[in-house]
PDB file of all heavy atoms in Angstrom:
ATOM      1  N   LEU A  32     -59.067 -32.733 -17.576  1.00 95.00           N
ATOM      2  CA  LEU A  32     -57.690 -32.799 -16.963  1.00 95.00           C
ATOM      3  C   LEU A  32     -56.703 -33.516 -17.859  1.00 95.00           C
ATOM      4  O   LEU A  32     -55.581 -33.147 -17.938  1.00 95.00           O
ATOM      5  CB  LEU A  32     -57.816 -33.561 -15.654  1.00 95.00           C
ATOM      6  CG  LEU A  32     -58.443 -32.824 -14.467  1.00 95.00           C
ATOM      7  CD1 LEU A  32     -58.463 -33.758 -13.214  1.00 95.00           C
ATOM      8  CD2 LEU A  32     -57.878 -31.594 -14.080  1.00 95.00           C
ATOM      9  N   ILE A  33     -57.159 -34.474 -18.611  1.00 93.00           N
ATOM     10  CA  ILE A  33     -56.299 -35.287 -19.476  1.00 93.00           C
ATOM     11  C   ILE A  33     -56.021 -34.620 -20.747  1.00 93.00           C
ATOM     12  O   ILE A  33     -54.937 -34.547 -21.320  1.00 93.00           O
ATOM     13  CB  ILE A  33     -56.846 -36.670 -19.683  1.00 93.00           C
ATOM     14  CG1 ILE A  33     -56.811 -37.421 -18.353  1.00 93.00           C
ATOM     15  CG2 ILE A  33     -56.059 -37.438 -20.724  1.00 93.00           C
ATOM     16  CD1 ILE A  33     -57.658 -38.707 -18.282  1.00 93.00           C
ATOM     17  N   GLU A  34     -57.040 -34.028 -21.373  1.00 93.00           N
ATOM     18  CA  GLU A  34     -56.912 -33.432 -22.766  1.00 93.00           C
ATOM     19  C   GLU A  34     -56.687 -31.986 -22.834  1.00 93.00           C
ATOM     20  O   GLU A  34     -55.975 -31.562 -23.729  1.00 93.00           O
ATOM     21  CB  GLU A  34     -58.211 -33.778 -23.556  1.00 93.00           C
ATOM     22  CG  GLU A  34     -58.471 -35.257 -23.716  1.00 93.00           C
ATOM     23  CD  GLU A  34     -57.467 -35.854 -24.626  1.00 93.00           C
ATOM     24  OE1 GLU A  34     -57.007 -35.253 -25.569  1.00 93.00           O
ATOM     25  OE2 GLU A  34     -57.159 -37.053 -24.404  1.00 93.00           O
ATOM     26  N   ASP A  35     -57.292 -31.209 -21.949  1.00 91.00           N
ATOM     27  CA  ASP A  35     -57.296 -29.742 -22.112  1.00 91.00           C
ATOM     28  C   ASP A  35     -56.599 -28.947 -21.003  1.00 91.00           C
ATOM     29  O   ASP A  35     -56.544 -27.775 -21.078  1.00 91.00           O
ATOM     30  CB  ASP A  35     -58.696 -29.223 -22.114  1.00 91.00           C
ATOM     31  CG  ASP A  35     -59.511 -29.884 -23.233  1.00 91.00           C
ATOM     32  OD1 ASP A  35     -58.961 -30.007 -24.307  1.00 91.00           O
ATOM     33  OD2 ASP A  35     -60.722 -30.219 -23.011  1.00 91.00           O
ATOM     34  N   TRP A  36     -55.928 -29.605 -20.041  1.00 95.00           N
ATOM     35  CA  TRP A  36     -55.384 -28.905 -18.884  1.00 95.00           C
ATOM     36  C   TRP A  36     -54.140 -28.208 -19.362  1.00 95.00           C
ATOM     37  O   TRP A  36     -53.309 -28.727 -20.041  1.00 95.00           O
ATOM     38  CB  TRP A  36     -55.076 -29.918 -17.794  1.00 95.00           C
ATOM     39  CG  TRP A  36     -55.366 -29.410 -16.452  1.00 95.00           C
ATOM     40  CD1 TRP A  36     -54.459 -29.217 -15.412  1.00 95.00           C
ATOM     41  CD2 TRP A  36     -56.588 -28.953 -15.932  1.00 95.00           C
ATOM     42  NE1 TRP A  36     -55.088 -28.745 -14.312  1.00 95.00           N
ATOM     43  CE2 TRP A  36     -56.445 -28.517 -14.589  1.00 95.00           C
ATOM     44  CE3 TRP A  36     -57.948 -28.873 -16.527  1.00 95.00           C
ATOM     45  CZ2 TRP A  36     -57.444 -28.082 -13.787  1.00 95.00           C
ATOM     46  CZ3 TRP A  36     -58.943 -28.385 -15.712  1.00 95.00           C
ATOM     47  CH2 TRP A  36     -58.680 -27.999 -14.392  1.00 95.00           C
ATOM     48  N   PRO A  37     -53.855 -26.965 -18.845  1.00 92.00           N
ATOM     49  CA  PRO A  37     -52.675 -26.177 -19.222  1.00 92.00           C
ATOM     50  C   PRO A  37     -51.432 -26.712 -18.474  1.00 92.00           C
ATOM     51  O   PRO A  37     -50.336 -26.369 -18.881  1.00 92.00           O
ATOM     52  CB  PRO A  37     -53.098 -24.760 -18.753  1.00 92.00           C
ATOM     53  CG  PRO A  37     -54.055 -24.935 -17.607  1.00 92.00           C
ATOM     54  CD  PRO A  37     -54.836 -26.203 -17.988  1.00 92.00           C
ATOM     55  N   GLU A  38     -51.608 -27.450 -17.465  1.00 88.00           N
ATOM     56  CA  GLU A  38     -50.415 -27.992 -16.736  1.00 88.00           C
ATOM     57  C   GLU A  38     -50.446 -29.535 -16.794  1.00 88.00           C
ATOM     58  O   GLU A  38     -51.418 -30.129 -16.808  1.00 88.00           O
ATOM     59  CB  GLU A  38     -50.540 -27.592 -15.188  1.00 88.00           C
ATOM     60  CG  GLU A  38     -50.730 -26.088 -14.940  1.00 88.00           C
ATOM     61  CD  GLU A  38     -49.412 -25.299 -15.151  1.00 88.00           C
ATOM     62  OE1 GLU A  38     -48.371 -25.884 -14.909  1.00 88.00           O
ATOM     63  OE2 GLU A  38     -49.612 -24.190 -15.621  1.00 88.00           O
ATOM     64  N   GLU A  39     -49.205 -30.016 -16.906  1.00 89.00           N
ATOM     65  CA  GLU A  39     -49.057 -31.474 -16.938  1.00 89.00           C
ATOM     66  C   GLU A  39     -48.800 -32.043 -15.574  1.00 89.00           C
ATOM     67  O   GLU A  39     -48.969 -33.274 -15.429  1.00 89.00           O
ATOM     68  CB  GLU A  39     -47.931 -31.818 -17.915  1.00 89.00           C
ATOM     69  CG  GLU A  39     -48.365 -31.582 -19.310  1.00 89.00           C
ATOM     70  CD  GLU A  39     -47.254 -32.049 -20.336  1.00 89.00           C
ATOM     71  OE1 GLU A  39     -46.517 -32.945 -19.973  1.00 89.00           O
ATOM     72  OE2 GLU A  39     -47.239 -31.579 -21.500  1.00 89.00           O
ATOM     73  N   ASP A  40     -48.321 -31.279 -14.682  1.00 90.00           N
ATOM     74  CA  ASP A  40     -47.935 -31.742 -13.308  1.00 90.00           C
ATOM     75  C   ASP A  40     -48.640 -30.807 -12.343  1.00 90.00           C
ATOM     76  O   ASP A  40     -48.897 -29.696 -12.586  1.00 90.00           O
ATOM     77  CB  ASP A  40     -46.477 -31.689 -13.117  1.00 90.00           C
ATOM     78  CG  ASP A  40     -45.709 -32.651 -13.957  1.00 90.00           C
ATOM     79  OD1 ASP A  40     -46.144 -33.876 -14.084  1.00 90.00           O
ATOM     80  OD2 ASP A  40     -44.798 -32.219 -14.676  1.00 90.00           O
ATOM     81  N   GLY A  41     -48.941 -31.380 -11.178  1.00 94.00           N
ATOM     82  CA  GLY A  41     -49.513 -30.617 -10.109  1.00 94.00           C
ATOM     83  C   GLY A  41     -50.026 -31.586  -9.059  1.00 94.00           C
ATOM     84  O   GLY A  41     -50.582 -32.626  -9.368  1.00 94.00           O
ATOM     85  N   GLU A  42     -49.878 -31.132  -7.799  1.00 97.00           N
ATOM     86  CA  GLU A  42     -50.354 -31.983  -6.624  1.00 97.00           C
ATOM     87  C   GLU A  42     -51.818 -32.118  -6.706  1.00 97.00           C
ATOM     88  O   GLU A  42     -52.380 -33.258  -6.551  1.00 97.00           O
ATOM     89  CB  GLU A  42     -49.852 -31.307  -5.345  1.00 97.00           C
ATOM     90  CG  GLU A  42     -50.318 -32.068  -4.172  1.00 97.00           C
ATOM     91  CD  GLU A  42     -49.933 -31.450  -2.839  1.00 97.00           C
ATOM     92  OE1 GLU A  42     -48.916 -30.609  -2.928  1.00 97.00           O
ATOM     93  OE2 GLU A  42     -50.469 -31.752  -1.829  1.00 97.00           O
ATOM     94  N   MET A  43     -52.556 -31.116  -6.985  1.00 97.00           N
ATOM     95  CA  MET A  43     -54.035 -31.116  -6.993  1.00 97.00           C
ATOM     96  C   MET A  43     -54.551 -31.836  -8.273  1.00 97.00           C
ATOM     97  O   MET A  43     -55.573 -32.508  -8.202  1.00 97.00           O
ATOM     98  CB  MET A  43     -54.645 -29.706  -6.935  1.00 97.00           C
ATOM     99  CG  MET A  43     -54.384 -29.060  -5.601  1.00 97.00           C
ATOM    100  SD  MET A  43     -55.105 -29.824  -4.214  1.00 97.00           S
ATOM    101  CE  MET A  43     -53.696 -30.499  -3.337  1.00 97.00           C
ATOM    102  N   LEU A  44     -53.879 -31.696  -9.306  1.00 96.00           N
ATOM    103  CA  LEU A  44     -54.152 -32.482 -10.612  1.00 96.00           C
ATOM    104  C   LEU A  44     -54.088 -33.939 -10.313  1.00 96.00           C
ATOM    105  O   LEU A  44     -55.011 -34.690 -10.554  1.00 96.00           O
ATOM    106  CB  LEU A  44     -53.228 -32.088 -11.645  1.00 96.00           C
ATOM    107  CG  LEU A  44     -53.268 -32.956 -12.971  1.00 96.00           C
ATOM    108  CD1 LEU A  44     -54.607 -32.828 -13.661  1.00 96.00           C
ATOM    109  CD2 LEU A  44     -52.103 -32.594 -13.893  1.00 96.00           C
ATOM    110  N   ASP A  45     -52.947 -34.400  -9.687  1.00 96.00           N
ATOM    111  CA  ASP A  45     -52.794 -35.786  -9.359  1.00 96.00           C
ATOM    112  C   ASP A  45     -53.865 -36.280  -8.350  1.00 96.00           C
ATOM    113  O   ASP A  45     -54.444 -37.382  -8.460  1.00 96.00           O
ATOM    114  CB  ASP A  45     -51.405 -36.100  -8.811  1.00 96.00           C
ATOM    115  CG  ASP A  45     -50.308 -35.888  -9.842  1.00 96.00           C
ATOM    116  OD1 ASP A  45     -50.587 -35.817 -11.040  1.00 96.00           O
ATOM    117  OD2 ASP A  45     -49.106 -35.690  -9.397  1.00 96.00           O
ATOM    118  N   ARG A  46     -54.115 -35.425  -7.370  1.00 97.00           N
ATOM    119  CA  ARG A  46     -55.114 -35.783  -6.321  1.00 97.00           C
ATOM    120  C   ARG A  46     -56.480 -35.937  -6.999  1.00 97.00           C
ATOM    121  O   ARG A  46     -57.278 -36.800  -6.654  1.00 97.00           O
ATOM    122  CB  ARG A  46     -55.228 -34.722  -5.249  1.00 97.00           C
ATOM    123  CG  ARG A  46     -56.172 -35.029  -4.181  1.00 97.00           C
ATOM    124  CD  ARG A  46     -56.228 -33.928  -3.079  1.00 97.00           C
ATOM    125  NE  ARG A  46     -57.216 -34.212  -2.127  1.00 97.00           N
ATOM    126  CZ  ARG A  46     -58.552 -33.968  -2.308  1.00 97.00           C
ATOM    127  NH1 ARG A  46     -59.049 -33.557  -3.445  1.00 97.00           N
ATOM    128  NH2 ARG A  46     -59.435 -34.296  -1.344  1.00 97.00           N
ATOM    129  N   ALA A  47     -56.856 -34.949  -7.871  1.00 97.00           N
ATOM    130  CA  ALA A  47     -58.129 -35.077  -8.568  1.00 97.00           C
ATOM    131  C   ALA A  47     -58.372 -36.363  -9.340  1.00 97.00           C
ATOM    132  O   ALA A  47     -59.353 -37.042  -9.204  1.00 97.00           O
ATOM    133  CB  ALA A  47     -58.300 -33.893  -9.495  1.00 97.00           C
ATOM    134  N   LEU A  48     -57.349 -36.792 -10.017  1.00 96.00           N
ATOM    135  CA  LEU A  48     -57.429 -38.003 -10.770  1.00 96.00           C
ATOM    136  C   LEU A  48     -57.585 -39.249  -9.867  1.00 96.00           C
ATOM    137  O   LEU A  48     -58.340 -40.191 -10.208  1.00 96.00           O
ATOM    138  CB  LEU A  48     -56.210 -38.238 -11.624  1.00 96.00           C
ATOM    139  CG  LEU A  48     -56.049 -37.234 -12.891  1.00 96.00           C
ATOM    140  CD1 LEU A  48     -54.713 -37.390 -13.520  1.00 96.00           C
ATOM    141  CD2 LEU A  48     -57.229 -37.433 -13.815  1.00 96.00           C
ATOM    142  N   LEU A  49     -56.979 -39.220  -8.785  1.00 97.00           N
ATOM    143  CA  LEU A  49     -57.106 -40.264  -7.760  1.00 97.00           C
ATOM    144  C   LEU A  49     -58.576 -40.276  -7.168  1.00 97.00           C
ATOM    145  O   LEU A  49     -59.210 -41.314  -6.927  1.00 97.00           O
ATOM    146  CB  LEU A  49     -56.124 -40.157  -6.553  1.00 97.00           C
ATOM    147  CG  LEU A  49     -54.665 -40.465  -6.991  1.00 97.00           C
ATOM    148  CD1 LEU A  49     -53.744 -40.146  -5.778  1.00 97.00           C
ATOM    149  CD2 LEU A  49     -54.527 -41.917  -7.383  1.00 97.00           C
ATOM    150  N   VAL A  50     -59.107 -39.131  -6.936  1.00 97.00           N
ATOM    151  CA  VAL A  50     -60.464 -39.000  -6.379  1.00 97.00           C
ATOM    152  C   VAL A  50     -61.426 -39.408  -7.377  1.00 97.00           C
ATOM    153  O   VAL A  50     -62.388 -40.179  -7.177  1.00 97.00           O
ATOM    154  CB  VAL A  50     -60.745 -37.560  -5.923  1.00 97.00           C
ATOM    155  CG1 VAL A  50     -62.202 -37.362  -5.633  1.00 97.00           C
ATOM    156  CG2 VAL A  50     -59.888 -37.156  -4.721  1.00 97.00           C
TER     157      VAL A  50
END
Side-chain angles (χ1 to χ4, degrees):
L32 290 178
I33 293 167
E34 296 292 328
D35 301 320
W36 218 242
E38 305 288 328
E39 292 186 22
D40 295 312
E42 182 180 339
M43 294 296 108
L44 170 66
D45 293 342
R46 181 181 177 280
L48 291 170
L49 290 173
V50 171

